[in-house]
Amino acid sequence: MKKEMMEGGRICEEFSAGYYGVCTIGGMLSAGTSHLAITPLDVLKVNMQVHPLKYKSISACFSTILREQGPSAFRRGWTGKFFGYGMQGACRFGLYEYFKKVYSNALVDQNKSFVFFISSASAEIIANVALCPFEAIKVRVQAQPQFAKGLSDGFPKLYASEGLRGLYRGLIPLWGLSMVMFSTFEHTVDFLYSNVIKRRKEECSRPQQLGVTCLAGYAAGSVGSIISNPADNIVASLCNRKADSLKMAVKKIGIAKLFTRSLPIRILLVGPVVTLQWLFYDSIKVLSGLPTSGYVRTDQVDKAA
């Protein structure tokens, strides 16, 4: 059986240790590289969140930073993004696949939406513990050029001055950032195959399956960018010491601005980056001989056909 799979191009069986290893590596590479690619946009976003009076629009923020700090400013925080989101992606994708299998087996009669949500929540708790120290340094490096140049000098400086509390100051809001991403992705994949393509995933070509992945990834990123915007603003405020507590950050920013501040650039940023993540991730799975991501109700496809 294993020999036949190897001959068919599949390097491991689904839900084996090797499968979860591929998902972990795929998540690490896809998240790390996609977030690295949008570092300049992230610099703009963080500065607009931390200095809203100075930077009132994307164009004003870009021109002011370029004039005052030069082109190199748009590379700030790239190490934190690459390594931090690489760590988060490894835990997020690998553990989501693992928890989804575990919970699906344990909760056979439960609604799939509930299984997707608790699988995502379980993975995100661990993934964001891995990300948080990198994010704390990244946002401070991007918004405070005098603080440090990057991870190598920023990490010891932050730890020496604030300890673990400083590194994990934004952990609680981070936990709320992405728990809806996987659920939105799964439901979009199901919808596209069941109601638009009206064919089983296995009957579609690999390019068609990756096309569905991109559309579902964009939907997940767009929904996630809107829902998670308040948490993202709070993280930027806490990590840059604009507020010392979650309650103070909410009060200082204001309820309305939690949802609107930096939202246009987050929509511009998060939708494409999540799309790239899913495309890279599923491409790695396809190259490993594994199926693309997403749950599809075959009974719904049969009815539509």
Side-chain angles (χ1 to χ4, degrees):
M1 183 69 175
K2 288 184 179 179
K3 185 178 179 181
E4 290 174 0
M5 287 183 176
M6 291 291 287
E7 289 174 351
R10 182 174 293 191
I11 65 173
C12 58
E13 296 182 48
E14 279 190 84
F15 312 119
S16 64
Y19 172 77
Y20 295 123
V22 170
C23 293
T24 299
I25 293 170
M28 177 180 67
L29 294 176
S30 64
T33 53
S34 60
H35 277 87
L36 176 63
I38 50 87
T39 298
L41 284 174
D42 195 53
V43 170
L44 296 176
K45 182 206 72 167
V46 169
N47 277 277
M48 289 176 71
Q49 290 173 328
V50 177
H51 309 296
L53 297 179
K54 184 176 181 179
Y55 305 118
K56 294 183 179 181
S57 69
I58 298 173
S59 58
C61 185
F62 175 79
S63 60
T64 303
I65 291 176
L66 182 63
R67 183 178 66 254
E68 294 180 353
Q69 302 177 37
S72 62
F74 296 102
R75 299 196 301 268
R76 285 189 175 276
W78 74 266
T79 51
K81 289 190 71 64
F82 181 70
F83 292 107
Y85 283 94
M87 292 283 289
Q88 185 202 43
C91 296
R92 169 187 282 174
F93 285 90
L95 289 174
Y96 174 73
E97 297 284 358
Y98 172 75
F99 284 126
K100 186 169 69 169
K101 180 64 174 175
V102 170
Y103 291 138
S104 293
N105 291 340
L107 306 170
V108 178
D109 298 324
Q110 279 289 344
N111 184 282
K112 284 295 180 183
S113 296
F114 178 70
V115 173
F116 297 151
F117 181 78
I118 62 170
S119 301
S120 179
S122 299
E124 288 294 339
I125 286 171
I126 299 169
N128 285 314
V129 169
L131 168 66
C132 198
F134 296 93
E135 184 73 0
I137 296 162
K138 184 215 69 159
V139 297
R140 197 168 289 197
V141 166
Q142 289 177 333
Q144 301 177 33
Q146 73 283 359
F147 175 76
K149 294 181 179 179
L151 277 180
S152 59
D153 57 338
F155 186 91
K157 186 174 182 179
L158 183 58
Y159 183 76
S161 61
E162 299 182 35
L164 286 175
R165 174 178 167 79
L167 294 173
Y168 285 95
R169 187 180 296 278
L171 181 58
I172 292 176
L174 268 180
W175 277 336
L177 275 174
S178 307
M179 289 184 184
V180 297
M181 186 183 80
F182 284 102
S183 183
T184 304
F185 178 86
E186 297 273 10
H187 285 297
T188 305
V189 168
D190 181 32
F191 175 82
L192 290 172
Y193 281 112
S194 301
N195 299 285
V196 179
I197 298 175
K198 298 182 181 180
R199 280 188 288 164
R200 295 173 184 268
K201 183 195 291 186
E202 296 78 12
E203 297 172 353
C204 298
S205 66
R206 290 302 193 192
Q208 287 174 327
Q209 292 181 29
L210 289 175
V212 169
T213 292
C214 287
L215 289 173
Y218 190 80
S222 299
V223 171
S225 66
I226 295 169
I227 293 176
S228 65
N229 199 55
D232 195 61
N233 277 304
I234 291 170
V235 170
S237 179
L238 290 174
C239 290
N240 277 282
R241 301 306 302 272
K242 296 291 182 177
D244 291 325
S245 68
L246 184 63
K247 183 178 179 181
M248 187 181 294
V250 172
K251 184 177 180 181
K252 196 166 185 178
I253 297 171
I255 298 296
K257 289 183 179 179
L258 278 176
F259 289 90
T260 58
R261 181 180 291 176
S262 73
L263 182 59
I265 194 169
R266 284 205 78 232
I267 293 174
L268 181 67
L269 185 154
V270 177
V273 79
V274 173
T275 305
L276 283 174
Q277 272 187 59
W278 280 107
L279 177 60
F280 291 170
Y281 176 67
D282 267 4
S283 295
I284 290 170
K285 290 177 74 174
V286 166
L287 290 172
S288 302
L290 296 168
T292 55
S293 303
Y295 166 77
V296 183
R297 295 170 293 172
T298 55
D299 60 319
Q300 292 296 101
V301 177
D302 291 338
K303 288 178 184 178

